[in-house]
Amino acid sequence: MPNTKHNRLVASTIAVVLGATSLVACGSSDDDKSESQSGPATLTFWTWAPGMDKVVDLWNKGPGKKQQITVEVKKQASGDSLITKILTAHKAKKGPDLVQAEYQALPTLVSNDALADIAAESKDAKTKFADGVWQQTTLGTDAVYAIPQDIGPMMFYYRADLFKKYGLTVPTTWEQFAETARALKKKAPDKALTTFSANDSGLFAGLAQQAGAKWWTASGDKWKVGIDDAATQKVADFWGGLVKEGAIDNQPMYQPAWNKALNTGKEIAWVSAVWAPGTLTTAAPQTKGKWAMAPLPQWSAGENVTGSWGGSSTAVTTDSPHKAAAAKFAAWLNTDPQAVAALAKESGIYPASTSAQTSDAFAQPPAFFSNQPDFYTKASEIAKTTAPSAWGPNVNVAYTTFNDEIGAAAKNKSDFGAALKTMQDATVADLKKQGFGVAQ
C-alpha cells in the first residue's frame, strides 16, 4: 500500500530550507562535475524499500562489478521526511547519487534543481513502460528526471460470494456503482458497498486522474492549478452525493472499525490499487479467497482508463559526480528481468516495467486471491490504461487541505465541491508565497 502519511509536510519548511524557487530546474548535467568517472565509481542510494540491499547485491556482483560501479544502500524514512532530507542535503551539496522518490514528489525536487536530467542516458528505457507511467518522470517535458520503479494502478475489489448472495452485478460504470450501492442498502440495510475515506488524498487524486483531471500543469514559466476543474468537481459531487444520501459509509480506512467491517462483511467492496491484497491479508484475514478484482468503473460505457494510487521512481541527483553511472544503475534496477524479479520478491513491489508485470514472478496470483488465477494478467492489462498524472511542486499543501476540508465535508455530509475551491485557493496561495509564477 502507499505511504498513507506522505505529503503532509508543511510547505513553509521547504521554503525556509531553500528559499523561493523557479518553475523548472536545469537538471544539471555539467560535464566537469558529472563525468569524473573514468575510473571506479561508488554510488550512494537513498531508499526506503525493504530488501533493497539484496537487490543491489545482484548489481554489485554482476553488471556493477564488470563496470566497476558499486552501489551502497542507505535506508531512509519515506514520504515527507525523505523529501526534506534530500532538499537539505542538496542545499549543502551533499546529496546522494540516487534516491527513491514518489512520483508526486518529483516536481518539488526538480523545481529545486535536486534531480538531474538523465534523458540521454535513459533513452532506451522508455519503451519498457506504459506512456502514462513514463510521463510521470518527464513532467511533460523532453527531460527525464527518474526511471519508474513501481506503480499503483487502481482497481475495484469486491466480495464475490456476497455479490452473488445479494444478486449484485459488478459495476462497469460509476453510475452502475451508485446503483449497486443503493441496491445493497435496500437488501441489507446493515451493510454498505464501500466507504469514502476522507483521510486518503491519494485515493481521491487517483480517482480525479481517471476522470481526466490535471491538478498542476506547466504553462510557460508558470504553474497552472486546476484542482477545482470540471473533472474533479464531477468526482467530488459523485462521492459527496453517495455519502450525503447514506448509500455508502464514510469512515476512514486502515482503522480498526474499517478492518472489522471488511472482515465481517459489513463492507463488501473496496476501490483500491494493485497492492490491495497485502492490505486485505492483515485487515480482513477471515475473508481470504472470497474476494475478486475487476477494472475500475468508468465514467462512460466503453471507456478503458484507470488512475494510480502510489508508486515511486529511481532518480539521479544533481549532486552526484557520477551521473552516467548512476543512470545506468537506475535503468538496470527497473528494467533488467533479474533485478525486477528480485524487487518483486524482496521488496514486494508491483513493477512499473510492462514486461516485468507478465514475468514468472507474477505467474501465480497473490495468496489472498488464489481463487482468481488471472489476477496479475488482469492487473497488467489494467496498468496499461493508466491515465497521465499531473503533479506540482506543492502536492503536500493540496493534500493537507484535502484532509481538512473534505474530511469535514464527509463528516458533516455537506458539499464536497466547496472544499475543492478551498483546496484550489490554498494551493495557489502557497505557490505564490514560495515564489513560483502562477498562471490564471
Side-chain angles (χ1 to χ4, degrees):
M1 62 182 276
N3 176 12
T4 56
K5 295 183 179 179
H6 64 322
N7 293 308
R8 294 176 189 167
L9 178 69
V10 178
S12 59
T13 302
I14 295 176
V16 168
V17 170
L18 298 160
T21 53
S22 60
L23 166 63
V24 181
C26 299
S28 306
S29 58
D30 307 357
D31 291 341
D32 58 342
K33 178 182 178 183
S34 64
E35 295 312 319
S36 58
Q37 54 186 53
S38 55
T42 298
L43 310 176
T44 302
F45 181 21
W46 286 5
T47 175
W48 68 83
M52 184 62 77
D53 53 339
K54 296 180 181 178
V55 183
V56 170
D57 278 346
L58 298 176
W59 165 269
N60 289 336
K61 295 175 181 178
K65 185 175 182 179
K66 293 178 181 178
Q67 299 176 52
Q68 294 186 301
I69 301 171
T70 302
V71 178
E72 296 180 349
V73 171
K74 301 292 185 183
K75 290 296 291 291
Q76 307 291 328
S78 60
D80 300 339
S81 297
L82 182 55
I83 296 172
T84 303
K85 188 171 182 178
I86 294 168
L87 296 179
T88 302
H90 173 62
K91 186 182 179 185
K93 303 299 181 185
K94 294 182 179 180
D97 296 278
L98 297 132
V99 64
Q100 181 181 359
E102 292 176 299
Y103 295 116
Q104 65 265 28
L106 292 177
T108 298
L109 298 173
V110 169
S111 63
N112 286 289
D113 198 26
L115 300 186
D117 176 4
I118 56 172
E121 296 86 356
S122 61
K123 57 185 178 181
D124 295 333
K126 180 178 179 180
T127 59
K128 304 289 186 181
F129 306 94
D131 289 343
V133 173
W134 184 255
Q135 182 269 346
Q136 294 198 84
T137 65
T138 68
L139 309 188
T141 70
D142 292 331
V144 176
Y145 294 108
I147 304 296
Q149 180 167 302
D150 61 303
I151 55 174
M154 296 177 68
M155 303 158 184
F156 179 67
Y157 294 86
Y158 63 99
R159 283 282 300 272
D161 57 333
L162 296 182
F163 262 59
K164 182 178 181 179
K165 176 180 178 179
Y166 294 112
L168 303 176
T169 301
V170 178
T172 58
T173 67
W174 287 113
E175 181 179 359
Q176 292 174 3
F177 179 94
E179 292 171 353
T180 302
R182 296 178 185 120
L184 177 62
K185 272 295 176 188
K186 288 182 179 178
K187 295 178 179 181
D190 63 325
K191 298 185 181 298
L193 179 64
T194 191
T195 187
F196 177 82
S197 183
N199 66 341
D200 279 273
S201 42
L203 168 59
F204 186 81
L207 292 170
Q209 176 188 346
Q210 185 212 20
K214 295 201 179 342
W215 285 5
W216 289 267
T217 51
S219 178
D221 61 348
K222 298 179 179 180
W223 285 104
K224 184 177 179 62
V225 181
I227 292 175
D228 63 348
D229 65 4
T232 309
Q233 286 284 356
K234 177 170 64 175
V235 174
D237 290 345
F238 176 81
W239 288 95
L242 291 178
V243 169
K244 188 173 183 178
E245 71 175 89
I248 61 174
D249 201 352
N250 65 337
Q251 65 174 313
M253 295 185 288
Y254 315 121
Q255 303 298 318
W258 180 73
N259 293 346
K260 184 178 180 180
L262 291 181
N263 209 28
T264 60
K266 276 197 81 170
E267 288 183 17
I268 68 170
W270 185 26
V271 174
S272 189
V274 69
W275 41 259
T279 301
L280 291 172
T281 299
T282 55
Q286 295 178 23
T287 64
K288 181 179 180 180
K290 297 179 180 180
W291 291 81
M293 178 270 285
L296 210 60
Q298 303 294 305
W299 285 104
S300 297
E303 289 183 345
N304 187 22
V305 63
T306 193
S308 59
W309 184 10
S312 63
S313 63
T314 309
V316 177
T317 74
T318 52
D319 293 324
S320 174
H322 307 289
K323 293 185 182 63
K328 286 181 182 179
F329 168 76
W332 172 87
L333 178 66
N334 299 305
T335 63
D336 180 84
Q338 185 182 19
V340 179
L343 279 174
K345 178 183 177 182
E346 305 294 345
S347 303
I349 72 160
Y350 185 72
S353 168
T354 52
S355 60
Q357 294 163 11
T358 55
S359 67
D360 290 344
F362 296 95
Q364 299 297 321
F368 205 81
F369 281 74
S370 58
N371 57 305
Q372 190 172 7
D374 65 346
F375 181 96
Y376 282 123
T377 302
K378 278 191 172 183
S380 177
E381 291 302 313
I382 292 171
K384 294 175 185 176
T385 70
T386 303
S389 64
W391 303 112
N394 62 343
V395 173
N396 51 292
V397 172
Y399 275 18
T400 298
T401 309
F402 172 92
N403 291 340
D404 293 340
E405 298 299 322
I406 297 288
K411 182 178 180 180
N412 301 328
K413 297 188 176 181
S414 58
D415 181 22
F416 280 23
L420 291 183
K421 179 65 165 56
T422 304
M423 286 177 66
Q424 171 84 12
D425 292 345
T427 304
V428 169
D430 177 74
L431 284 175
K432 292 179 178 178
K433 180 180 178 181
Q434 290 197 56
F436 290 98
V438 178
Q440 299 301 318

